[in-house]
Amino acid sequence: MTMPGTAAIPDRARVVVIGGGIIGTSVAYHLAHLGIADVLLLERDRLTSGTTWHAAGLMATFGSTSQTSTELRMYTRDLYSRLEAETGLATGLKQTGLIELAIEPGRLEEYRRVAAFNRLCGVEVHEISPREVTELFPLARVDDVLAGFYIPADGRVNPVDVTMSLARGARMHGARIIEGVPVTGFLTCRGAVTGVRTPQGDIEAEYVVNCAGMWARQLGELAGVNIPLQAAEHYYLLTEPIDGVDSNWPVLEDPANYGYYREEGAGLMLGLFEPVCAPWQVAGIPADFSFGELPPDWDRMAPYLERAMSRVPVSARAGIKKFFCGPESFTPDLLPIVGEAPELRNYFVAAGMNSIGILTGGGIGRVIAQWIADGRPDVDMTAMNIDRLHRYQANPEYRATRTVESLGQVYETHYPGRSMRTARGAMVSPVHHRLAAQRAYFRDVSGWEGADWYAPEGSEPKAGELSWGRPDWFGNWAAEHHAARTGVILMDMAFMAKFDVQGREAGRLLERISANQVDGEPGQITYTQWLNPGGTLEADLTVTKLAGDRFWVVASDTAHRHVETWMRRHIGDAHAFVTDVTSGYAQLNIQGPRSRELLASVTTADVSDQAFPFRAAAEIDIGFARVLCIRITYLGELGYELYIPAGQAVHVYDRLAGAGRAVDLRHAGLKALSSLRMEKGYRDYGHDIDNTDTVLEAGLGFAVALDKPGGFIGRDAVLAQKARGPLTRRLVQVLVTDPEPLMFHAEVICRNAVPAGYIRSASYGFTLGGAVGLAMIDADEPINQAYLDSGEWTVQIGTAVYPAVTSLRPMYDPQNKRIRM
Ligand SMILES: Cc1cc2nc3c(=O)[nH]c(=O)nc-3n(C[C@H](O)[C@H](O)[C@H](O)COP(=O)(O)OP(=O)(O)OC[C@H]3O[C@@H](n4cnc5c(N)ncnc54)[C@H](O)[C@@H]3O)c2cc1C
């Protein structure tokens, strides 16, 4: 390793990794191990001088219902356990176990669900009694404990040692690591990064990876890259030695009391995740902050500390050796920021670790390196991808406001349906106030205020306590669902990503990236996927041809920037121009068997089935407005989507609401959307299908135009998969036959009592009469309906197991009769 400030820097490298914390060294290690020559890591000061040096080093594989996150954790633990043998440098990994305490029924339910899912992923988890907790951690008070969840192979690691070991492993495989050299800027050319600037000179590079921890946002700004993370105070204390404390005890976590506990120096380390936290240095992290500590705010922390100490009462009596506060980066949704920047090709980011950078660092490094080597990630990155985040989220007031909520969320019970509570109202639909007057209950939808459900007249839209059971508003949701199936509903979808794509070659561009044929006759909408050359999904959306040189592309909120980037990056020199018109248009959907009647009553256009068939798109008049009307549905009924210039949205809404009185129009929210679309088996990218699924496995082969002239990106991969024969991995619809239980996500599904997969997303099928979801199933034999019908299917929900039925075709209206009424 080169000593700070003494190295001559090279003038080029294949990959420049910025930052020598756990993440940067892991990225360099994995790039080098993939045989990528000429990897250069630049560290501003010394390795570990940012956040890594003071991490508590907890290693937990338990706790997530994300397959990707669980795999990252498991890979990391495995890597750290074999690193010393490879590099000769110890990591300090001690697999003494980890116990999560559940003291409230809601958390017990959560941990049972998580445990089942984690076991499916290969984590060894045991539910243990309070007595067993004290046997493993004798100083813990357990009078109020309902259960512990014990993971014997988890434990702790020394963050500095593991970073040094990764650095040596990187160097042993040819990577260069230079300390004392800050990156101060970037070189770019035609939308791609081409190198970095340093005080010692420029370095050309094919790829740059920003692993600058809490500095990553400021550094990203120098290249126009949006990395909306924010540092926040993060605390632990160390006690003087305590009699009887044993270094072989497991780590103990008591989220309900904000604390974690482990042995340190014959005493205890007591760490805190307080529910309301404090952002640090919103204006920017000082460039010279190294091995830094923050002055602890005792007054703010005292109540939380008291609670945490009550779990291990001896900690309150022991002397305090050190009360430590250090900054860690948090992100708007508590998920890391990983991947290639939408603003700049070949500029990768791995930052915003939300307090789990050590225990996921190995996996994050592996993914980034593999992504660079292969051009796309081999795990589902939809939830972590940097392109899910929006530029406004880097706004200082937004960061300061949202971050207050983030750290505390780590230790909350993760009830389904919890919405972010801070930084609300950042984006609202043009008809927001009208929906509020209809008693909409709003939740955060990628930063938009989305109407989730509506309270009946005379009552307030109050959500009540979060729970795993039926919410107070279950009946309102059911009524909205039934109204869509039997009458007509109005749904605000302003948050959908909308793009106006124009130009002489816009059709050619979209035809090339779409698996379906989208450039046919004007006036038609087409449902399509965009595939990468490997045949897996990049996007799931609609393309409407408005005119020979004009298209309307609509995708879901979470895919907004991914879709935009995918289009822009494929334009090349074509005469095609993409304009994001999301905020310029309202989207009001009227859906249900009576939607035609409603529409006909507000427009002079002929909207009969003959004149305006399924998939038709045309401008129509409503009141004083001109509206793009598309006959399409995402919930399985006759229905129309109306795209209205924002300035006319209230006017059109009022016309619809007024005319709606004659047809019993009901407002419906996003809860109804999810239950309706799930009954129909409609997919939602980033929720039940993702970048690891092929279009055939996702059950979307019907939307692929294999023979269209000129082909499309991914066609060869689709053909190759077809040639390999029947599929042994497929997305199936799952219905629990008992009407009582609810499914949310990650419930394990079994065929003949053998795990076959898990529920990727779920809702309640009010028409089908039970919880319904979509699960990706793996088998040793072809999966077809006969295979599904010949098995006995069950779903594990908490500790109970329920019979289920499975289907490849939608269980609701498999013949699509209702949408073609
Ligand atoms: C009190 C506390 C306890 C924690 N406990 C745990 C735990 O138990 N388990 C766990 O998994 N995680 C824990 N964490 C979180 C963990 O420490 C972080 O997630 C992790 O260290 C982040 O690593 P990083 O590499 O992203 O950032 P950093 O460690 O901050 O590394 C970034 C590096 O980039 C360098 N850099 C910045 N700008 C430049 C530039 N312009 N040019 C070159 N170099 C630059 C910095 O000097 C720094 O070394 C804890 C955090 C805190 C604060």
Side-chain angles (χ1 to χ4, degrees), residues 97-427:
L98 179 130
I99 304 170
E100 295 281 354
L101 295 182
I103 66 168
E104 324 99 312
R107 195 179 302 268
L108 181 62
E109 176 71 20
E110 178 193 351
Y111 284 175
R112 285 179 169 162
R113 287 171 180 252
V114 171
F117 176 73
N118 283 184
R119 285 184 198 116
L120 178 75
C121 298
V123 179
E124 184 189 341
V125 188
H126 304 276
E127 182 173 333
I128 60 175
S129 66
R131 189 180 51 77
E132 289 169 303
V133 171
T134 44
E135 282 166 11
L136 290 161
F137 200 106
L139 292 178
R141 182 179 57 81
V142 294
D143 52 334
D144 57 349
V145 170
L146 299 175
F149 288 79
Y150 176 48
I151 305 91
D154 282 352
R156 57 198 261 202
V157 75
N158 183 321
V160 171
D161 291 352
V162 78
T163 306
M164 294 305 179
S165 198
L166 285 167
R168 179 179 285 181
R171 216 164 42 100
M172 284 163 65
H173 281 76
R176 280 189 76 181
I177 295 177
I178 304 182
E179 297 180 283
V181 178
V183 169
T184 51
F186 296 93
L187 312 174
T188 64
C189 181
R190 289 175 61 88
V193 71
T194 55
V196 298
R197 296 226 122 102
T198 79
Q200 276 96 317
D202 295 350
I203 304 171
E204 284 177 23
E206 269 175 61
Y207 296 92
V208 169
V209 192
N210 179 343
C211 306
M214 61 188 162
W215 292 267
R217 181 185 58 78
Q218 294 149 253
L219 193 60
E221 268 172 17
L222 301 179
V225 171
N226 179 53
I227 310 172
L229 55 75
Q230 174 57 46
E233 295 177 2
H234 196 17
Y235 289 84
Y236 56 71
L237 67 75
L238 304 175
T239 72
E240 298 290 354
I242 297 173
D243 277 350
V245 168
D246 191 325
S247 63
N248 291 316
W249 286 357
V251 174
L252 183 70
E253 289 201 85
D254 178 14
N257 286 304
Y258 320 126
Y260 62 82
Y261 319 82
R262 69 164 177 79
E263 181 275 343
E264 179 71 37
L268 285 175
M269 169 187 274
L270 188 164
L272 292 161
F273 280 88
E274 71 275 19
V276 181
C277 80
W280 181 69
Q281 295 284 5
V282 174
I285 308 299
D288 59 354
F289 184 84
S290 287
F291 298 105
E293 291 186 37
L294 312 181
D297 186 345
W298 280 102
D299 287 347
R300 188 173 77 77
M301 295 307 290
Y304 310 122
L305 190 55
E306 219 168 278
R307 279 273 295 268
M309 284 177 155
S310 72
R311 175 59 58 209
V312 184
V314 68
S315 63
R317 299 191 293 275
I320 293 178
K321 194 157 73 183
K322 174 126 193 107
F323 193 41
F324 180 86
C325 177
E328 161 66 342
S329 315
F330 290 86
T331 62
D333 55 6
L334 212 65
L335 289 163
I337 302 178
V338 183
E340 191 184 17
E343 298 90 350
L344 200 57
R345 269 199 324 277
N346 298 345
Y347 186 108
F348 281 76
V349 177
M353 293 296 142
N354 299 292
S355 80
I356 57 169
I358 309 299
L359 65 89
T360 53
I364 297 274
R366 186 199 72 73
V367 170
I368 288 282
Q370 177 273 325
W371 193 334
I372 288 174
D374 298 339
R376 56 178 175 273
D378 62 2
V379 291
D380 170 16
M381 289 307 292
T382 49
M384 298 183 184
N385 199 318
I386 183 171
D387 63 17
R388 75 189 185 280
L389 297 161
H390 292 270
R391 295 189 71 79
Y392 79 90
Q393 291 175 305
N395 167 315
E397 186 172 336
Y398 177 90
R399 281 184 284 115
T401 310
R402 174 53 62 86
T403 306
V404 169
E405 186 177 8
S406 52
L407 185 141
Q409 249 186 295
V410 175
Y411 269 8
E412 273 182 16
T413 301
H414 301 104
Y415 287 110
R418 182 201 187 279
S419 179
M420 301 305 285
R421 296 168 188 139
T422 51
R424 293 293 302 272
M427 289 191 287

Side-chain angles (χ1 to χ4, degrees), residues 17 23-33 39-41 166 170 175 177:
V17 179
I23 302 300
T25 53
S26 176
V27 169
Y29 172 93
H30 286 92
L31 285 167
H33 279 67
V39 173
L40 172 67
L41 186 151
L166 285 167
I177 295 177

